[in-house]
Each structure stands twice: as C-alpha cells, then as structure tokens.
Amino acid sequence: MKANSLLILPDTTILYSEDTTITICDSLNYYLSNDLGNGSRNFFSKLEDFSKKKHFLSQLFSSLIHFPKPKKDKVVTKMEESEKPYRQWEGYEIAEVNYKRVDVFGASVDDTTKVSENKWVNIANNTHMHTVTWAIKKNIYLKPGDKIRPEAISDNERVVRSLPNVRDAKIYVRPLDSADSLVALDVVTQDNFPIFFSGSLSGLNRGAVGFVHKNFLGMGHEFGASMIVNSQEKQQFGYDIEYLVPNIRRSFINASVGLTDVYDEKSFRAGVYRDFYHPSVKYAGGAFYSLGRKRLDRVVPLVDLDAQEIPWFDQQLQDYWFARSFPIKDFNPQCDLQRFRFVVAARYIQDDIYTDNNIMMDTIPSLKSRKMVMGSIGLSSRRYFKDKFIFSFGKNEDIPHGERFELTYGKEFIENGVRDYFGLRMAKGNFVKRFGYLQGQLDFSGFFRDRHIEEGMISGKFSYFSHLFSKHHLKIRQFINLRYAVGINRLPDEYLELSSDRGIRGVNDQDIRGNQMLVANFETVKFTALQPMGFRLAVFFFTDIGLLSDRNKSLFKGSGYAGFGLGIRARNDHLVFKTIQLRLGYYPVLPDRYHHVAFDLAGQGVLQVDDFDIGRPEVLPFR
C-alpha cells in the first residue's frame, strides 16, 4: 500500500499514512483507493486532524463529511450464499465436533482471537452466565462419521444462530493433520446478554413492570414475568408469567406454559410445537390448549359501560396440527440436499365461548363458538444468503431465497351454519445480481356459503433492499416496501388501519381506516461507526405514501396520506431488548386534531425477511 491510500473492507476503512506491505485473504471483499481528492484534501485534513482529538467528533466528522471521490470508488458489498465457504470441503468426513464460546461483549465469532482490554467490558462479561455446552450441542445434528454437505452445515449454523439466547454463531471446518480426508467442525457461538427489563405507564393509575430472561440458568430456556397495576379496578394488582423450553431432548420440539391473572383476564395456556427448522425435516406439528375467562372490553372497545357492567365470557381453545414434507428432485446439480419439498398439512381448531349475557354477545360476530377442519398442500423451496447490516447492526443475518405455493381448504362449523374456506398464497424471493434482494407475495382467501363469499380478501406485497454500499465509515442500504389489500364482504368490526406498523409510520389512529389500502414505504439507512456505550447508531430517512378507501368506493377516490422524516436508531446486538428509535416526521395531510409535525421515541423489534417454509394451515390474516 502506498502512503495516503485507503484499504476499504466490508466493515471498516483503513488509511495508510506510510508505505506498507499487507497480506489479504483471497476470499475477502476489498477495494483499494489512492485518490483522496487533492483539490480539497488540505482543508478536510485539517478538520479531520482537529476532530481526531476526540473520538466522538472524529466519527461524527467521518459520518457527515467525505473526501470527494470519483463514482467508481463507491464499494458494493455483496451477499454470500450460506453454503459457499463449505463447498471446498464437500465429501470430507467429519472426525470430531468441538465447541467454543466467545465473550458477549468485545468479541466476535468471525475472529475468535479478538478480546477486549477494556476493564468495564470485562466486568460485564464476567457477570454473564454462558450457555452450557449441552444446550448448544443438542441443536447440532451433524455428527462424527457424516460426510460434509455444504448446505447441511450452513443450515445447522443458521439453526444455532436463530436461538433466542444466541447473538451469532459460525461453524468452521478445520482439516486434521492425521488424515487427508478427515476434518473437524468447530462450532463457535456468542451469547446475547439475556436479561431485559420493561415498563409502561398510562396516566397516574395504570402501569406495568416486567422482565424477560432469554437464557434462564444458562440452559437456553426463556422465562418472563410482569406485574400489572390498575388502581381504578377492583383487582388492582395482577401478573403474567410465561416459560418456554426449546428443543426437548434433541427432538426440536418446543414446549411453553403461561398463566395470566389480571383485572380483565384469568387464563392458563400450554403448547408444544415443532416446525420445519431446516428444509430436509420430514415432520412438523403442534398442539395448543388454553382455558380462561376474559372481560369483553379485552377484545372489543366498549366506551359507554362502567367496568362493573361489562360482561365476562369463558373461552376454551384447542388447536392441533400436523404436516409431512416429501422431497422432490431438485434440478440444480450443485445442490446436495433436495431443497424442493411437497408439503401436506392438516389442522383442527375448536374454540368454545360461553357467556351469561347472550344478548350483548350476539352483537359481536367475531365472538362465536366454532370448529374448523383445514387441510393444505404446497410446494416450498428454501435456500439462504448471509449478509450483515440489513435489519441488525453487524451480526450475521440469514436471508431466504426461494419460492412457495400453498393451497388451503377447510370447513368451519359455526352456530348459524357451515362455511367452506379457500386460501391461496404464492411467494417468491431472490437476490438479483448488481441490484439487490427482491421478494413478492400474493394472497387470496375467503369463506364461501350459498355461492357467496364472506370475509374475503386479496392482498399483495413487494419488498426490496439494496446491496450494502460502503463509503468511509458509513454503510448505506436502501429499502422499498409496497403493500396492497382489499376486503370482500368483511365483518363490521374488521378493517385496514393506516397506523405506524402497517402504513404511515408515526400515525397511530384507529379512525384512519378503511376496506382498501395501498401503501408505499421508502427508507434509506446509513449505519455509522459511532458506538457510544456499545450501541451502534444508524441514521435513516423515510417517505411513506398511503391511499385508503371505504367499502364500495374506488381506491383513487378515497383519502390520501403521506409522511416524511428522519431519525436515529441505536441498537446493541449483544442485548435482547428492542432497538431504540428517535423519529421526527412531517405529515401534510391529517385530521384537524393532529399536529402535522410529530416527534416519537419508541422501541422497535428486529425485523426479518419472510421465509418460504410451509407450516400449519391457517386463515390468511386481513391487515
């Protein structure tokens, strides 16, 4: 490297002030640049030298001001097929499987030699109880004697990485000196810091506090508890408890149990389930049971009644399902697993509702006892890419690509008759070279009785995100989401909302609703290198546009809404709580009771790309 030249890597940029000799792995994406923009370099260099006196100013400077560079210097980091690193070992025999864990803070599964020298970071690491080895080992289905299959290793790595108590995971293949055809697998994991406290306050009379532990006693179990307070109710204090045991005895069957006792609900629930955790799994299924008593305003708004006058209803819910997957010959000769599957599934639901106030309950169509038998057939193909800085802030993320086609038929037995149900879902997603990731989905569903459709809907969505563009200390990605939905003879209390999580972000009003909706969301995210107290910062800019119309009215004759703004997200991927988001938005078209400029501070969960697996048959949601 010549003096004053740049080495640009996917996650960092290095400036060499002197001539330097370096060695770079041939599998690493990198870019070399010798042009720092001579015309303005002196001016910016002085600013940079000044800002380097304080680390925060240096990072802020590099996030906001850049040296002029020709367009060709823009670097695009590309997704990598998950199985690509393992193809060179195909056919080798696994001789042993070893397990290694790295610290929660200041370490990485991509570089197991990296350790923190910060005293406070080491103190935090010492307070963490690591996941016991057997809790990781039971999720590894590769064993000594197996032949290396690239997609089998990448699938197993993804399974471990998806565990709630694991921040990141990586499986390394290491050749053994004793034999040319034998290798060892080194499974490296990094835990999340598993404890998360939460709280909420609604005025001076209502509130809740709680905590969640994602790795109880280091076993990978989840335990959550919360206390609910409402001084205006007869029962002022209540609680909610949930416990989850994952992967019982290496069966990949998960079990959960929960108990709720609050002023408007008393319930018990328990369930077990097993999904198609990787494409070669043959069997999936589950069972769920709940028994409880709820106050009517728990499920529908009742503003004209005193709490003592609101009726209660008893509910007993049973839900059972089973699915079988059959392989279909894959036409890709490089694929060692049969990734294309034919899936058959069945489901039975019995929802019994009892109440003493039948007159009021008769006015709420959605609260009726029912039984439903469903069956589905479908085709599914799943593979995965691996990348970083999509929805998380630096850890490895698994992005599915493939297709899904599913047909569902069912019969619903309700108090006033029998209805047939039909549902269709089609989805496809893939990475397009030099463009980015695209995914589209189309849904149609409805109940049929006497040749008329009831509670029907048509919906579609399109999602896109770009490659990660790296420039200096910024990592930039573009997101676009389009969604359309229309209801067909929906119930009076069913509608589409243009609220924050489904339409115009920053708008949260149940009165902005309709029967047909078209929404377009655009967002540009700039991941910075700033890490105050271990929280990585990202700046985002958004534009949301939505159209909404009522029943029997053209979408383009309805109401239009829009939102524009920017904000900052802060997230520590080592912790289990939500991303902290500060957002400022401008909304030119809103009802008069709203301000057109809004500031919002809230938590945001980690989003994920929809997968293409087929599970239990279901009535497609209207939203």
Side-chain angles (χ1 to χ4, degrees):
M1 299 290 294
K2 293 183 179 180
N4 297 321
S5 60
L6 287 172
L7 171 61
I8 305 174
L9 302 174
D11 58 353
T12 189
T13 302
I14 304 171
L15 171 64
Y16 291 91
S17 58
E18 300 178 353
D19 291 348
T20 307
T21 301
I22 61 173
T23 301
I24 301 175
C25 176
D26 58 4
S27 63
L28 185 65
N29 291 324
Y30 67 93
Y31 189 82
L32 306 178
S33 177
N34 297 316
D35 183 6
L36 296 182
N38 294 327
S40 56
R41 183 185 170 206
N42 291 336
F43 172 74
F44 287 116
S45 294
K46 290 179 181 179
L47 285 178
E48 187 175 27
D49 290 341
F50 170 76
S51 64
K52 282 183 178 178
K53 294 179 181 179
K54 295 184 177 181
H55 180 70
F56 180 82
L57 289 179
S58 174
Q59 296 296 323
L60 184 61
F61 169 80
S62 62
S63 299
L64 300 177
I65 302 176
H66 311 288
F67 294 128
K69 296 173 69 174
K71 189 173 182 179
K72 66 178 182 179
D73 283 350
K74 183 177 289 187
V75 179
V76 180
T77 58
K78 299 180 180 180
M79 296 183 190
E80 179 183 64
E81 292 183 349
S82 297
E83 67 273 11
K84 182 179 178 181
Y86 307 113
R87 286 177 180 162
Q88 61 178 312
W89 306 106
E90 186 169 4
Y92 283 66
E93 182 178 333
I94 301 173
E96 58 186 56
V97 181
N98 305 304
Y99 298 87
K100 178 181 176 62
R101 60 195 184 200
V102 298
D103 288 332
V104 174
F105 303 104
S108 171
V109 298
D110 295 317
D111 182 2
T112 59
T113 63
K114 183 180 179 181
V115 294
S116 175
E117 298 180 358
N118 185 290
K119 179 179 67 174
W120 300 108
V121 170
N122 291 330
I123 290 175
N125 284 327
N126 290 333
T127 63
H128 171 69
M129 177 183 291
H130 283 281
T131 303
V132 294
T133 301
W134 61 260
I136 299 295
K137 189 175 182 179
K138 70 178 183 179
N139 291 282
I140 299 295
Y141 47 82
L142 301 169
K143 58 185 182 298
D146 290 347
K147 297 292 184 179
I148 290 286
R149 298 179 300 173
E151 293 191 3
I153 298 181
S154 64
D155 280 336
N156 208 161
E157 181 184 270
R158 178 180 51 82
V159 167
V160 177
R161 190 160 43 240
S162 66
L163 297 175
N165 57 299
V166 173
R167 175 190 181 265
D168 208 350
K170 194 166 186 176
I171 297 179
Y172 290 91
V173 180
R174 177 169 47 87
L176 297 177
D177 297 333
S178 57
D180 293 337
S181 61
L182 297 179
V183 295
L185 298 186
D186 296 328
V187 181
V188 183
T189 57
Q190 182 181 37
D191 285 353
N192 284 313
F193 194 80
I195 302 175
F196 167 55
F197 293 92
S198 63
S200 63
L201 188 65
S202 300
L204 299 177
N205 302 310
R206 298 174 60 185
V209 293
F211 83 97
V212 174
H213 200 305
K214 294 285 188 177
N215 196 7
F216 192 62
L217 299 179
M219 299 185 297
H221 296 188
E222 294 184 48
F223 175 66
S226 59
M227 182 178 71
I228 295 90
V229 180
N230 190 334
S231 61
Q232 295 180 323
E233 297 287 344
K234 184 177 180 180
Q235 180 182 342
Q236 297 185 4
F237 297 93
Y239 61 85
D240 183 77
I241 299 173
E242 193 85 22
Y243 197 87
L244 170 66
V245 180
N247 193 1
I248 300 173
R249 299 182 66 85
R250 302 178 70 98
S251 65
F252 288 90
I253 296 175
N254 308 302
S256 65
V257 62
L259 186 64
T260 299
D261 187 351
V262 294
Y263 63 90
D264 57 357
E265 180 182 352
K266 327 286 181 184
S267 64
F268 166 81
R269 56 200 175 273
V272 294
Y273 71 92
R274 181 182 193 254
D275 57 18
F276 291 114
Y277 53 92
H278 70 79
S280 297
V281 174
K282 294 181 179 180
Y283 301 99
F288 178 80
Y289 176 81
S290 69
L291 178 65
R293 182 172 176 81
K294 298 179 183 179
R295 209 167 69 180
L296 189 57
D297 60 341
R298 181 82 171 185
V299 292
V300 294
L302 296 174
V303 296
D304 298 328
L305 292 179
D306 184 83
Q308 303 299 324
E309 300 174 343
I310 300 176
W312 289 68
F313 66 92
D314 297 308
Q315 183 177 28
Q316 179 179 259
L317 175 64
Q318 303 175 65
D319 189 348
Y320 311 98
W321 68 280
F322 176 79
R324 174 68 160 94
S325 172
F326 301 90
I328 296 178
K329 183 179 180 181
D330 198 299
F331 295 97
N332 181 1
Q334 296 180 349
C335 180
D336 65 303
L337 290 180
Q338 296 178 344
R339 312 289 288 190
F340 212 100
R341 317 290 288 182
F342 175 70
V343 181
V344 180
R347 184 181 183 186
Y348 174 75
I349 304 170
Q350 181 172 329
D351 190 5
D352 297 314
I353 296 177
Y354 312 95
T355 180
D356 296 331
N357 193 329
N358 292 320
I359 296 177
M360 178 169 286
M361 296 296 290
D362 286 341
T363 64
I364 307 173
S366 58
L367 283 178
K368 301 290 185 182
S369 295
R370 69 185 183 112
K371 297 179 182 178
M372 192 166 185
V373 180
M374 306 175 71
S376 68
I377 57 174
L379 296 172
S380 171
S381 176
R382 289 188 286 160
R383 294 182 176 85
Y384 296 87
F385 289 106
K386 189 163 61 176
D387 203 353
K388 297 182 179 181
F389 294 101
I390 303 174
F391 302 113
S392 295
F393 283 54
K395 69 176 184 179
N396 291 305
E397 299 178 65
D398 299 292
I399 308 301
H401 67 103
E403 47 271 336
R404 170 183 179 180
F405 179 84
E406 184 178 11
L407 285 171
T408 302
Y409 174 78
K411 276 191 173 292
E412 184 185 49
F413 303 87
I414 51 180
E415 295 177 1
N416 59 348
V418 179
R419 301 191 298 177
D420 295 310
Y421 172 79
F422 175 79
L424 168 66
R425 168 164 286 179
M426 296 181 292
K428 185 176 179 62
N430 208 343
F431 165 74
V432 180
K433 187 176 182 181
R434 298 181 181 179
F435 184 67
Y437 180 84
L438 297 171
Q439 185 182 110
Q441 180 175 299
L442 179 64
D443 294 341
F444 168 78
S445 72
F447 289 90
F448 295 85
R449 179 162 47 182
D450 299 329
R451 297 183 180 181
H452 290 87
I453 186 171
E454 301 175 349
E455 298 177 55
M457 71 94 182
I458 299 173
S459 69
K461 65 179 182 179
F462 167 84
S463 301
Y464 163 80
F465 61 81
S466 68
H467 289 292
L468 184 67
F469 294 84
S470 295
K471 193 171 185 180
H472 293 281
H473 291 287
L474 285 179
K475 300 174 179 65
I476 304 170
R477 207 182 283 274
Q478 178 68 49
F479 297 84
I480 300 175
N481 291 285
L482 304 175
R483 291 196 307 111
Y484 171 78
V486 58
I488 306 172
N489 298 328
R490 305 298 303 191
L491 295 175
D493 58 346
E494 295 179 318
Y495 44 79
L496 299 165
E497 293 182 15
L498 209 64
S499 59
S500 289
D501 59 339
R502 301 190 184 105
I504 310 297
R505 66 196 98 183
V507 174
N508 192 10
D509 186 355
Q510 292 185 350
D511 291 334
I512 303 178
R513 62 191 187 186
N515 188 62
Q516 188 173 192
M517 180 175 69
L518 175 64
V519 178
N521 307 114
F522 305 89
E523 182 175 279
T524 300
V525 181
K526 297 186 176 183
F527 298 93
T528 75
L530 295 170
Q531 298 190 60
M533 299 181 65
F535 284 81
R536 302 198 71 150
L537 301 183
V539 180
F540 66 95
F541 306 87
F542 71 91
T543 298
D544 296 335
I545 302 172
L547 297 175
L548 198 65
S549 68
D550 295 325
R551 302 173 191 268
N552 303 318
K553 189 176 182 180
S554 170
L555 180 65
F556 298 99
K557 292 183 180 181
S559 301
Y561 301 89
F564 312 90
L566 67 148
I568 297 175
R569 296 188 182 114
R571 178 172 181 81
N572 190 326
D573 276 331
H574 303 273
L575 307 177
V576 295
F577 57 75
K578 296 180 178 180
T579 302
I580 301 170
Q581 178 175 271
L582 290 143
R583 181 179 57 214
L584 178 65
Y586 170 67
Y587 307 94
V589 182
L590 279 179
D592 294 336
R593 63 182 179 274
Y594 279 95
H595 296 290
H596 291 284
V597 177
F599 177 79
D600 181 54
L601 172 62
Q604 182 188 54
V606 178
L607 304 177
Q608 290 184 328
V609 178
D610 292 336
D611 210 336
F612 301 97
D613 58 328
I614 296 176
R616 66 182 185 183
E618 63 179 356
V619 175
L620 298 179
F622 177 60
R623 59 180 180 223

